[in-house]
Amino acid sequence: MGTNVTDIARLQRLQNWSAKLTFCANKYDHATPFLNELHWLPVKERITFKILLYVFKCINGIAPAYLSSCLALYCPVRRGLRSSSDITRLVEHRIQNRTLKSAASKSFFYTAPSLWNKLPIAIFALPTHFHHSRRL
């Protein structure tokens, strides 16, 4: 999702520390209640949320053109497929070169469609950006 596990762990520790500092909590207290009180998502979930929010904006035409050009809606060749009625799926791109696999898999071009296609169908029917971000 754009960064490695070590960097995400460091950011999570920083976020936990910031939440504890905000509430003047003890260093040994759990950070989760404070994160919930502040309405802060954990770092990994926040990254996923932001990627999915950008995909939603791309599909609805309110994102920058350079991001929208990275995504393509899935259009099956055969009409009899079950997925032919599902207009919200995106084309997932495959990485051909093994040497570029680790770097390419972190890009929006590869990550966004796979995350979007894993969402439940009920989220796709939401009319606005506000409703979409509340359900994620």
Side-chain angles (χ1 to χ4, degrees):
M1 286 196 276
T3 188
N4 61 23
V5 177
T6 306
D7 289 339
I8 289 178
R10 286 180 183 162
L11 287 171
Q12 188 61 56
R13 281 195 304 270
L14 180 64
Q15 185 185 41
N16 292 348
W17 178 80
S18 299
K20 290 177 187 180
L21 183 67
T22 303
F23 285 98
C24 298
N26 188 351
K27 118 180 181 181
Y28 299 108
D29 290 341
H30 288 285
T32 306
F34 304 121
L35 294 174
N36 290 339
E37 184 73 25
L38 292 168
H39 300 284
W40 289 356
L41 289 172
V43 173
K44 189 172 182 179
E45 283 79 15
R46 172 83 175 159
I47 293 169
T48 302
F49 171 77
K50 292 300 275 186
I51 291 171
L52 291 172
L53 192 59
Y54 278 123
V55 172
F56 180 82
K57 288 179 178 183
C58 288
I59 289 173
N60 291 304
I62 52 177
Y66 71 91
L67 283 179
S68 299
S69 65
C70 293
L71 304 175
L73 289 174
Y74 173 69
C75 297
V77 178
R78 294 177 40 203
R79 293 184 191 193
L81 298 175
R82 281 185 287 174
S83 61
S84 63
S85 62
D86 187 10
I87 60 169
T88 55
R89 291 182 48 87
L90 296 174
V91 175
E92 292 189 37
H93 305 283
R94 297 186 188 271
I95 303 169
Q96 301 297 330
N97 191 342
R98 285 186 177 198
T99 58
L100 297 176
K101 189 170 187 169
S102 64
S105 65
K106 296 176 183 178
S107 70
F108 183 80
F109 183 74
Y110 292 102
T111 305
S114 63
L115 288 174
W116 183 260
N117 291 340
K118 290 177 187 173
L119 286 175
I121 303 276
I123 291 179
F124 298 130
L126 298 174
T128 64
H129 152 69
F130 174 76
H131 289 102
H132 181 73
S133 57
R134 297 286 290 174
R135 288 292 297 267
L136 285 176

